[in-house]
Amino acid sequence: MSVVFIVSKVTNYSLKTIIFKTIASAFFVALAIYLAVTVEGHVPFKVLTTLGLFFGFLGDVLLGFKYITTGKAKKLWILAGMFAFAFGHISYIVGLFIEYYIPGQWWFILLPLSLALILSSLYMLISRKVGIEFGKLLPFGLFYLGCLSTMFSTSLFMAVAHGFSITTSIMFFVGAFFFVCSDTMLTGSYFKAGDRPKWYNGLYSVFYYLAQFIIAFSLFFLL
């Protein structure tokens, strides 16, 4: 279904494409729910990860309407989708800290937040140079950027804290990396003047579904 959606997106985006996207995204939520039920223990992490995936599903539905609306309505759909994904990243962050934080290692709170600040600052500097303009959505864009970069940095440092020895933690980091790749390209599509080539719009969707399905499937390896 992810492939069907991406093909539909790059050929002829319509209401039918939104339906394909909704079904495809529902599958990574369904996968997480199935694994949350069948894998024993780790209840807070499973619940928060599944909740993060659900917010991603919700964000997909909301952003899908961007393509069939214009004017202020278009920006409202983008804003709604942005907040849904932001809440998803917050769920991921809390889940990672609950599951993998080692008591007493305060630097594994400080370092992820510091790296997130550095990454967000670098992104904003580079985005201006390449012509990405958030306009009135800038405050919300900064909020989302902070959530995304913190989710990525947290997944990295939690994997580091355990010496890259926990499969679920490693997979979560890989998923977070693909999420960053997807959203970096997506902002270029949404907030930079001009049309992007079809392969560009398809590629960031590939990265996105890799991210969400890897994060969902990481629950399979919980010990």
Side-chain angles (χ1 to χ4, degrees), residues 6-28:
I6 293 169
V7 170
S8 178
K9 177 180 180 178
V10 300
T11 54
N12 182 29
Y13 204 106
S14 64
L15 182 60
K16 181 171 62 176
T17 309
I18 298 176
I19 295 173
F20 291 150
K21 185 178 185 180
T22 302
I23 296 172
S25 298
F27 274 116
F28 58 66

Side-chain angles (χ1 to χ4, degrees), residues 139-160:
F140 309 105
L142 290 173
F143 171 69
Y144 177 78
L145 179 60
C147 293
L148 173 65
S149 57
T150 302
M151 187 271 287
F152 171 76
S153 61
T154 300
S155 68
L156 170 61
F157 278 101
M158 293 306 165
V160 170

